[in-house]
Amino acid sequence: MDAKAMIDSLSSQFTGVIYDAQVESDIRILAKVKPESVKDICQYLKEKLSFGHLCCEFGVDYPERNEIEVVYVIGSYEHPVVLTLKAILPRDDPEVESVVPVYWNANWYERETYELFGVKYLDHPDLRPLVLPQDMLGEWPLRKDYKGFPNKTARNLV
Amino acid sequence: MYDEVGPSEMIVHLGPQHPMLPGPFRLNAKLRGETVVDSEVEMGWIHKGIEKILENKTYLQGITIVDRICYLAALTNEEAYVGCVEKLAGIEVPERAQYIRVIMEELSRIQSHLLGMGEYASFVGFVSMFMYTIKEREDLMSVIDSVTGARITHSFLRFGGVKDDLPEGFKEDVKYVFGNLRKAIDNYEELFSTDSIYKARTVGIGTLTAEVAKDIGVSGPPLRATGVAFDIRKDEPYLVYKDLDFKVCTQTAGDVFARVQVRLDEMRESMYIVEQCLDQIPSGPIFPEGTAYGRRSPVMRIPAGEVFHRVEDPRGEMGFYMVSDGSDKPYRVKIRGPVYPTLQALPPLLKGVPVADIVAIAGSMDTCTSEVDR
């Protein structure tokens, strides 16, 4: 199945949930997804379209649009197509369902996105900081309006 | 894990500084007698915030920063970063530059495997192996040094090309070093496969099956040791890999011994790739002509867009996701390192093994904490 057929199958299965889908090349698909159904779509991708390999999951902050995007980059061991899914969350209260039950290795990606962007993952088995100390929780250093960089975090580097 | 420590159980902290660990992370292991019942990994001792730093550097400055993600894989990190920018800006890399990149990246893969294997052997008590591998690695480092001008952090790749052409007599140097290295690798293999104590410590230890390995998302040698031929160089060829003849080295056992064997085979395969490249390399420019981007232009604006580019690191799949907003600095860079899922897989792998095997299993994964923390 090539990229075009995959996105067609996905959009027909989840009408209205997957939108703005575009095939960038033979092996890259970009699509937006409603945050409340991320887990169901991941389940479908893994079982039906053999997208069994979560490459990464991370956040991107857009303060002028007042949005945080959570991006899921999902690959496969069987075919070379990589699918990029974007869930758009409100910046004031970003909450999304965890995909750890589907992709086991999402655990650390979600912990890191939580401590760096403040994205709250519902039903995550162990949501606590991974790389930052506990007392930096709540500063969300990778958001664009973070004031502590570089003076607090990397004074000698920049 | 701390809440339910039974009367005959205790918690042992390994690290953050421990001779077994390739970098500072802490492994908290709950033991019952000699057996590990539960464990967890604590990170953050060398968190550098490279993703934040890259957002505040121009594209050209970023090349020096991505070197520091993991010094053993500096050239492949650069390849992933530079590849992202090339895709966004639509820069074509001349063929000669592509060949030079493949040669340098394969050489750096060999030196990474040599160090990883030597360190690992010393973790399981085979200390003299470290001395053997570090000797061969030193020759290889000199060869890399003669092209890039640096031993570990090279800053060698540029957007669209490479910094310098291959020096005179490079082919002969490589030939000489490879002659020694071939014999050395045969030697290591013989030492590993005939030593009964070494085999007792590695065969059947820390076994991963293909299903579990895929499920927990590992890539690189730990995955290929389970029989899954997953290699970005084959599945999604970048540079000139589709013109080169090489095979993906796999084993089926999935244990510690198989992982080391995969690395040994991969070094031979990398040498074969480098030799092909040296025979096939065309003459020509090493930097594209007629592009808007100069070789050293400190400020370059990249068209807005998003791209995910991945390459095969010595340790597995290395990917960069780059978001550009059209300015001279990247809007967001996500670094997807290969060791991140591998290190995460340590606690389930360690469940039920004796304490002495922790070192063998953790070492055979060839983890690089610097890359996980970034």
Side-chain angles (χ1 to χ4, degrees):
Chain A
M1 214 193 285
D2 64 340
K4 189 85 183 63
M6 276 174 191
I7 195 68
D8 286 345
S9 139
L10 201 60
S11 329
S12 62
Q13 188 73 24
F14 296 94
T15 351
V17 177
I18 296 252
Y19 57 105
D20 285 0
Q22 41 177 308
V23 179
E24 295 182 317
S25 71
D26 296 344
I27 49 168
R28 291 283 187 277
I29 312 173
L30 188 86
K32 287 180 182 153
V33 60
K34 292 259 159 66
E36 57 272 13
S37 32
V38 165
K39 198 180 136 197
D40 298 336
I41 288 177
C42 287
Q43 192 83 44
Y44 178 81
L45 285 171
K46 190 178 183 182
E47 281 164 9
K48 297 280 160 45
L49 298 175
S50 66
F51 278 99
H53 175 64
L54 181 73
C55 290
C56 56
E57 179 185 343
F58 57 94
V60 187
D61 184 27
Y62 293 98
E64 66 279 9
R65 275 160 36 196
N66 203 24
E67 281 169 355
I68 284 184
E69 277 179 2
V70 174
V71 184
Y72 302 81
V73 183
I74 307 171
S76 163
Y77 293 106
E78 276 81 40
H79 54 72
V81 179
V82 174
L83 171 65
T84 307
L85 285 180
K86 285 180 174 182
I88 295 174
L89 311 175
R91 198 159 177 272
D92 317 315
D93 183 25
E95 270 188 0
V96 68
E97 207 171 347
S98 163
V99 295
V100 176
V102 186
Y103 296 114
W104 186 84
N105 65 337
N107 193 324
W108 279 15
Y109 290 121
E110 292 186 349
R111 277 172 69 183
E112 206 182 322
T113 313
Y114 166 62
E115 70 188 335
L116 297 176
F117 285 91
V119 177
K120 211 168 187 182
Y121 287 94
L122 308 171
D123 300 329
H124 187 280
D126 184 20
L127 199 61
R128 59 197 163 93
L130 176 73
V131 289
L132 295 183
Q134 191 77 40
D135 57 345
M136 271 185 81
L137 197 67
E139 299 188 12
W140 319 135
L142 240 62
R143 286 196 183 188
K144 287 284 173 185
D145 55 0
Y146 177 59
K147 294 282 187 295
F149 183 85
N151 283 339
K152 180 174 177 183
T153 51
R155 184 187 287 273
N156 302 323
L157 287 172
V158 179
Chain B
M1 192 180 86
Y2 292 95
D3 306 337
E4 59 238 15
V5 184
S8 56
E9 292 173 342
M10 68 183 290
I11 288 185
V12 173
H13 301 286
L14 289 114
Q17 294 297 333
H18 186 276
M20 153 212 124
L21 299 171
F25 70 89
R26 190 158 81 179
L27 188 74
N28 304 334
K30 181 154 84 174
L31 310 178
R32 186 180 294 136
E34 278 276 302
T35 315
V36 182
V37 243
D38 200 0
S39 59
E40 70 169 12
V41 175
E42 267 185 51
M43 304 298 312
W45 271 270
I46 44 169
H47 184 245
K48 302 173 280 297
I50 282 186
E51 288 172 7
K52 187 79 182 177
I53 295 171
L54 283 176
E55 286 175 13
N56 293 278
K57 295 275 187 195
T58 62
Y59 284 98
L60 190 69
Q61 287 173 323
I63 296 177
T64 356
I65 304 293
V66 294
D67 269 348
R68 270 79 182 168
I69 296 170
C70 171
Y71 69 86
L72 283 173
L75 279 162
T76 32
N77 294 341
E78 281 175 31
E79 177 61 48
Y81 176 79
V82 168
C84 272
V85 177
E86 281 161 3
K87 272 189 183 172
L88 279 172
I91 306 174
E92 284 285 322
V93 187
E95 209 176 357
R96 186 174 174 85
Q98 294 194 25
Y99 272 100
I100 297 176
R101 285 188 186 182
V102 171
I103 293 171
M104 299 318 293
E105 281 156 29
E106 291 304 321
L107 287 175
S108 103
R109 186 185 317 275
I110 303 173
Q111 62 89 7
S112 167
H113 279 347
L114 278 175
L115 187 77
M117 213 177 63
E119 267 185 348
Y120 153 74
S122 74
F123 296 156
V124 294
F126 200 162
V127 183
S128 41
M129 181 55 92
F130 185 67
M131 308 302 162
Y132 299 148
T133 58
I134 208 82
K135 174 177 163 287
E136 299 303 329
R137 181 172 176 266
E138 204 50 47
D139 291 349
L140 213 52
M141 297 300 268
S142 305
V143 172
I144 298 176
D145 191 356
S146 75
V147 183
T148 64
R151 277 166 51 86
I152 48 175
T153 46
H154 308 282
S155 306
F156 180 62
L157 270 51
R158 294 290 183 273
F159 307 117
V162 289
K163 191 183 79 182
D164 281 318
D165 210 333
L166 298 176
E168 253 182 53
F170 179 74
K171 198 172 170 181
E172 286 69 41
D173 288 351
V174 170
K175 223 168 233 162
Y176 172 75
V177 171
F178 277 8
N180 293 341
L181 190 57
R182 271 226 167 80
K183 275 181 236 150
I185 291 175
D186 291 345
N187 243 335
Y188 305 153
E189 192 170 8
E190 200 191 332
L191 281 171
F192 277 142
S193 58
T194 53
D195 191 323
S196 57
I197 299 173
Y198 173 79
K199 280 177 98 172
R201 288 215 61 183
T202 54
V203 175
I205 304 293
T207 310
L208 264 176
T209 59
E211 286 73 45
V212 175
K214 279 183 188 176
D215 206 40
I216 59 184
V218 298
S219 55
L223 178 66
R224 289 196 280 272
T226 67
V228 183
F230 180 70
D231 191 322
I232 309 291
R233 291 175 292 174
K234 273 274 190 239
D235 295 351
E236 195 190 314
Y238 53 100
L239 298 176
V240 287
Y241 279 113
K242 57 183 175 309
D243 303 337
L244 299 168
D245 169 43
F246 66 100
K247 66 176 198 298
V248 180
C249 307
T250 52
Q251 294 280 320
T252 46
D255 56 3
V256 173
F257 189 83
R259 276 170 222 142
V260 176
Q261 189 62 40
V262 166
R263 292 201 181 94
L264 283 167
D265 292 342
E266 268 183 18
M267 284 195 268
R268 293 198 182 103
E269 213 54 39
S270 291
M271 282 195 276
Y272 180 47
I273 293 175
V274 172
E275 281 165 351
Q276 284 177 64
C277 286
L278 286 172
D279 290 339
Q280 292 177 14
I281 186 165
S283 54
I286 55 164
F287 205 76
E289 283 148 8
T291 110
Y293 303 104
R295 185 187 301 199
R296 293 190 188 81
S297 55
V299 178
M300 50 194 282
R301 288 179 203 285
I302 302 293
E306 301 187 12
V307 69
F308 179 65
H309 182 63
R310 50 182 187 169
V311 301
E312 186 70 22
D313 200 74
R315 294 176 183 75
E317 175 196 355
M318 181 76 186
F320 271 58
Y321 194 96
M322 189 181 277
V323 182
S324 162
D325 61 347
S327 71
D328 57 343
K329 291 168 184 166
Y331 188 78
R332 170 91 168 96
V333 182
K334 167 72 190 173
I335 301 155
R336 184 258 185 245
V339 186
Y340 203 82
T342 314
L343 196 63
Q344 202 177 343
L346 219 47
L349 256 183
L350 292 178
K351 208 163 236 176
V353 305
V355 178
D357 284 350
I358 294 179
V359 182
I361 296 169
S364 74
M365 289 296 189
D366 193 10
T367 53
C368 175
T369 324
S370 169
E371 186 210 284
V372 181
D373 266 351
R374 301 185 307 278

